[in-house]
Amino acid sequence: MKKIRNMSMTNQVMLATILGVLVGIIFQDKVESFKVIGDLFLRLIQMSVVVLIMGAVIEAVGSLEAKELGKIGLKVFVWFMGSTILAAIIGVVFGLLIQPGKGLETSGIEMGAISASTESLQEIIIDFIPKNIIEAMAQANMIQVIIFSLLFGLALSLIKDKDKNSILLDVVSAFNNVILKMVTLIMKLAPIGIFCLIAPVIGTIGTGVLLTLMKFLLTLAISALLFLVVWLLITALYCKVSVKKLAQNMWRMSIVAFTTTSSAITLPIQIEDGRDKLGISDRISKLVMPLGMTLNSNGLAMFLSLAIVTFAQFYNIQMGVGELVKAVLLSTLACLGTVVVPGGGLVALATVMPMLGLPTESIALLAGIDWFSGMFRTLLNVDADTTVALIVAADEKELNYDVFNS
């Protein structure tokens, strides 16, 4: 027991994941009651997500001068869009090459309908702006919270520069420190929480269904691996750093992202490792990473585009170049303001499927493996957000190479 306590958090989480899989296989649905503890762990993290993101964005934007915000904001947007489109394209390409939808076996999988969004593109765009920020916070509508926080931070920045008064900014900064400390304390329970989440998933679903949809998961895994290799190489070359060292410094956040399947839960560790291991300044990391969590869902874009191609193959629907381009664009746009906790991928897929004439009820095929596909989605989301922060920090001369190489 003492040896386990002395293990690093990364190793504890990996051990908990392995034990969760083994216990689920051995005891099957007898461990379903463990899910309560896992859900409690997620709730403890989720209860502070909205204020964590809001505070981080307000502080980051409020600390900038208005002209700096415009310059950095454009860089962040370009890199976010570029990485998301690349991920969606890779999902389509590997879906066409491996064809995971061919001969997909559906027996034993419960076919339930998932409500699809009936909003038009105009309504979706209008919905980016909150009518009531309290309502947006209560509903955890992250894109609305982000937009309010950006405007609040901008106003704070302008007032600070004009009146030379940063009292409110200091209060926000102190509040953020308290929230981060609280989340850090909760994260000490991560090994227990992750074990209690994974064991019931394996025990309830069983290995039979996992094997049935293994081809889809394998395609997603290969696509994710290729994207990560390409993107890390691009980042290392652009920032003039060692790609091996880059991967090593991002290892802990990657493990947490992979096992929790939540960008929100990983965010505190992402910011901490960005500062202490990658050498990214707090000013850049606290602006780019929370924004990326909502606006830069590379993993979700890949998942959506691959799922679209998979279902088209499953129903023997031929997709031409125009439909494939539309799939990439829709997968990219659907990532704006997505849910940043487990389960959001199926809702986003239900929004995209009707726009391409695919039956939404078939989305339930992927529900049984949503946790596992969520592992790859979250890994790509977190790592891409972090590398964009690294790129922007290098551009702004706010990347500490001594910390990175230490």
Side-chain angles (χ1 to χ4, degrees):
M1 184 64 69
K2 186 176 179 180
K3 288 183 178 179
I4 293 177
R5 284 200 302 267
N6 291 334
M7 289 172 64
S8 67
M9 177 60 69
T10 301
N11 290 335
Q12 287 183 38
V13 167
M14 291 180 69
L15 178 61
T17 303
I18 295 169
L19 288 176
V21 171
L22 292 176
V23 169
I25 291 173
I26 295 170
F27 295 99
Q28 299 180 1
D29 57 0
K30 294 178 182 177
V31 295
E32 191 173 357
S33 59
F34 287 10
K35 188 174 183 294
V36 175
I37 300 174
D39 289 342
L40 284 173
F41 168 69
L42 287 182
R43 285 290 185 96
L44 284 170
I45 295 292
Q46 291 165 355
M47 69 180 179
S48 58
V49 165
V50 173
V51 288
L52 174 67
I53 294 169
M54 177 177 279
V57 173
I58 289 174
E59 181 185 358
V61 177
S63 301
L64 295 172
E65 295 180 8
K67 59 181 181 181
E68 287 182 315
L69 180 59
K71 183 176 65 172
I72 293 175
L74 180 60
K75 290 178 182 178
V76 170
F77 180 78
V78 169
W79 283 103
F80 278 176
M81 287 299 99
S83 62
T84 305
I85 291 171
L86 175 63
I89 290 172
I90 289 177
V92 166
V93 169
F94 275 86
L96 295 173
L97 289 175
I98 300 178
Q99 298 188 331
K102 292 290 184 182
L104 189 65
E105 176 59 52
T106 62
S107 61
I109 302 176
E110 185 178 346
M111 292 287 289
I114 296 176
S115 299
S117 172
T118 57
E119 288 185 312
S120 66
L121 181 60
Q122 292 89 336
E123 289 172 326
I124 291 172
I125 293 173
I126 291 172
D127 198 44
F128 285 174
I129 309 299
K131 292 183 292 186
N132 184 324
I133 186 57
I134 304 300
E135 181 184 10
M137 292 174 68
Q139 295 176 350
N141 189 322
M142 299 316 302
I143 189 68
Q144 293 186 355
V145 170
I146 287 281
I147 287 176
F148 175 86
S149 303
L150 285 170
L151 291 173
F152 191 99
L154 176 60
L156 182 60
S157 174
L158 293 171
I159 291 174
K160 177 197 67 177
D161 291 344
K162 180 181 177 182
D163 299 343
K164 306 300 180 185
N165 189 332
S166 61
I167 294 176
L168 183 55
L169 183 61
D170 293 338
V171 171
V172 172
S173 179
F175 178 80
N176 289 344
N177 289 335
V178 173
I179 294 295
L180 282 172
K181 184 64 176 178
M182 184 178 76
V183 174
T184 301
L185 291 173
I186 294 170
M187 280 305 297
K188 293 184 182 295
L189 301 174
I192 297 172
I194 289 166
F195 170 82
C196 292
L197 285 169
I198 290 180
V201 170
I202 297 291
T204 304
I205 296 174
T207 55
V209 174
L210 295 181
L211 292 173
T212 302
L213 295 175
M214 190 60 70
K215 195 173 181 182
F216 177 87
L217 277 175
L218 180 63
T219 307
L220 182 62
I222 293 171
S223 304
L225 180 61
L226 177 67
F227 175 85
L228 279 178
V229 170
V230 171
W231 196 251
L232 288 179
L233 282 171
I234 291 172
T235 303
L237 290 171
Y238 190 90
C239 299
K240 298 180 176 60
V241 296
S242 163
V243 67
K244 181 181 178 182
K245 187 68 175 175
L246 176 59
Q248 288 175 343
N249 290 348
M250 293 174 61
W251 178 249
R252 185 173 76 134
M253 70 177 77
S254 299
I255 289 295
V256 173
F258 190 76
T259 53
T260 63
T261 74
S262 172
S263 301
I265 291 173
T266 313
L267 182 61
I269 291 174
Q270 195 181 356
I271 292 174
E272 180 184 333
D273 285 359
R275 179 187 64 239
D276 299 339
K277 295 184 178 180
L278 296 170
I280 303 170
S281 70
D282 277 340
R283 186 178 77 107
I284 298 297
S285 63
K286 288 182 179 179
L287 174 65
V288 177
M289 291 178 187
L291 283 176
M293 196 175 67
T294 300
L295 302 176
N296 189 41
S297 300
N298 299 269
L300 180 58
M302 179 179 290
F303 168 80
L304 292 176
S305 64
L306 176 59
I308 288 167
V309 174
T310 299
F311 283 126
Q313 292 167 354
F314 178 69
Y315 290 107
N316 292 314
I317 298 173
Q318 297 298 320
M319 296 186 74
V321 175
E323 287 80 10
L324 293 174
V325 170
K326 188 177 180 181
V328 169
L329 292 177
L330 286 174
S331 298
T332 302
L333 291 174
C335 295
L336 296 174
T338 50
V339 181
V340 293
V341 290
L346 297 177
V347 177
L349 188 56
T351 302
V352 171
M353 292 273 282
M355 297 182 187
L356 290 162
L358 295 170
T360 55
E361 59 270 15
S362 57
I363 295 169
L365 283 170
L366 299 181
I369 57 167
D370 186 60
W371 178 273
F372 301 96
S373 62
M375 290 177 168
F376 298 104
R377 295 197 305 265
T378 310
L379 175 64
L380 261 62
N381 292 345
V382 168
D383 283 6
D385 293 347
T386 305
T387 51
V388 170
L390 189 77
I391 289 168
V392 173
D395 271 350
E396 296 297 312
K397 305 293 188 275
E398 295 190 35
L399 178 59
N400 190 326
Y401 287 92
D402 290 335
V403 171
F404 184 96
N405 293 313
S406 61

